[in-house]
Amino acid sequence: MAPHDLRRPFKRRPISDQQKRRDLSLLRQSQHRSDAQQRARNLASSVISLQSPSSPDVDPETLSEPMPDVDTAGHESEASSFSIRQASSLRGPEARKWFASQLMLPEWMIDVPENLSRDWYVLARPAGKRCFVVSTDGVTVSRLRNGSVLHHFPSALPGGARKKGVSGPAQSYSILDCIFHEADQTYYVIDMVCWRGYSLYECTAEFRFFWLQSKLDETGACDPPSFYHKFRFSVVPFYNCDQSGLHSAYTGSLPYVKDGLLFYNKHAHYHTGNTPLVLIWKDERCSQYVIDTDNNGQVPSQQHIVLELQDDGKIVTSDDPPVVVNCLNADFVKQSGLSPGSLVRFAIGDGGLNCVDGKFEKADLQYISVSNRARAFADSYSKIMFQYMARHSPLKVEDLASMISQENQQDKLPEVEMSD
């Protein structure tokens, strides 16, 4: 990727809907404080102790692909008020929804963020299974976003293995946000939620990433597997999102298969659920999974989307608040055997989509069927739009490089004093 050749003066863009959500998220986190320690303790207990929810029809997409489609009402408040006793009673889609909502899930990048080179990190996302890893009291457990246990194993993480002569605080636990990469049997760590009982929920990404790099290597968790350390851990390299950093993440050689780029706002706290302060972007060079495929692994001729049916017949996304895409008449709902809460699959017809300020003004939808019952969520607005753009007018890596170049040019402009 060559540096972008900028031939026009910097011009300020209109503020996009996604940028408005980013600004609002930063404002909310500065105004809201939660019991982060209790939230971390609840999550650690649930990962270690809860039985795996039964999931006979697990959709492979929910295991290997990032699905930023979670209803995130309340963010931290919901996670802290929901008890472990309540979580243990959940089964099937509800259990998958609860566990998935404990992760911080990226929106899909549908515009280039402001101050990309100054306020954002970029990293190459490993292909694999997103999961939490918790170590405590001589045990290490990883759980997928559907709540099922991936591995139960000894590790070099704090409290992660029972060793003679080695002990620690009884209530100490660590929580890592990871992607398990099957090919080399490695847990690639993309974030740190808690370390030795200290919650990092309300720490900035800048601080969490610093701790992740400095603390993980001290434990020996990055060493090759051994009797007391079954799987190797590795920190995913992250870069300042300037021209050099973007180039390294996009083209650099890595020990894992890439599945797109992740962008983290440096000031973002660890928000449970969907957040515009973390973004995912893909193209054919850095991911095998740019456009969604069907159950046979083939790209359908029309884009397919999954929406949720509400009581009044509106079909909506999983966003908070949900975005209304269209409305089904009562006769069609009855004839199709649909009911409120149903997840319904549609194809987007030749009429396409038209959105203004984050709202659908037109959507040519063709009914296909009820979605796979293993699925817990509708698609998010950003996912629908990213997939639509990928088919018609994709956001390219050159667009990201161009924004960085424009910001650099703006920084070099001399300040002009205005006189009366």
Side-chain angles (χ1 to χ4, degrees), residues 263-279:
F263 297 81
Y264 279 74
N265 187 289
K266 295 179 181 180
H267 309 292
H269 296 174
Y270 194 96
H271 290 278
T272 56
N274 197 28
T275 174
L277 298 178
V278 182
L279 302 170

Side-chain angles (χ1 to χ4, degrees), residues 36 81 106 130 187 197 233 242 260 286 288 327 337 377 386 404 408 420:
S81 63
R130 180 84 179 274
Y187 280 95
F233 288 77
D242 50 23
C286 67
Q288 302 177 44
C327 189
F377 314 106
F386 182 91
I404 294 171
N408 291 341
D420 294 333

Side-chain angles (χ1 to χ4, degrees), residues 155-168:
S155 77
L157 295 173
R162 292 187 173 91
K163 295 182 181 180
K164 290 184 178 180
V166 177
S167 61

Side-chain angles (χ1 to χ4, degrees), residues 75 109 132 249 262 266 273 281 314 353:
H75 289 295
M109 184 187 286
F132 276 125
L262 285 170
K266 295 179 181 180
W281 173 89
K314 293 177 180 177
L353 300 175

Side-chain angles (χ1 to χ4, degrees), residues 161-177:
R162 292 187 173 91
K163 295 182 181 180
K164 290 184 178 180
V166 177
S167 61
Q171 299 302 316
S172 180
Y173 51 90
S174 298
I175 308 173
L176 300 178
D177 187 344

Side-chain angles (χ1 to χ4, degrees), residues 50 103 109 118 139 170 192 197 225 229 264 287 350 361 375 408:
L50 296 190
L103 288 163
M109 184 187 286
R118 293 186 293 273
V139 175
M192 178 182 282
H229 182 55
Y264 279 74
S287 176
D350 294 339
E361 286 201 341
R375 181 159 183 164
N408 291 341

Side-chain angles (χ1 to χ4, degrees), residues 63-97:
L63 303 184
S64 61
E65 291 299 297
M67 286 180 55
D69 304 330
V70 176
D71 180 0
T72 59
H75 289 295
E76 293 92 349
S77 59
E78 179 181 1
S80 59
S81 63
F82 198 89
S83 71
I84 299 305
R85 185 183 298 269
Q86 289 172 292
S88 64
S89 67
L90 298 177
R91 291 294 183 270
E94 289 301 319
R96 290 194 288 277
K97 187 173 184 178

Side-chain angles (χ1 to χ4, degrees), residues 337-356:
L338 304 176
S339 59
S342 293
L343 296 180
V344 189
R345 186 175 297 274
F346 297 89
I348 298 177
D350 294 339
L353 300 175
N354 184 32
C355 298
V356 177

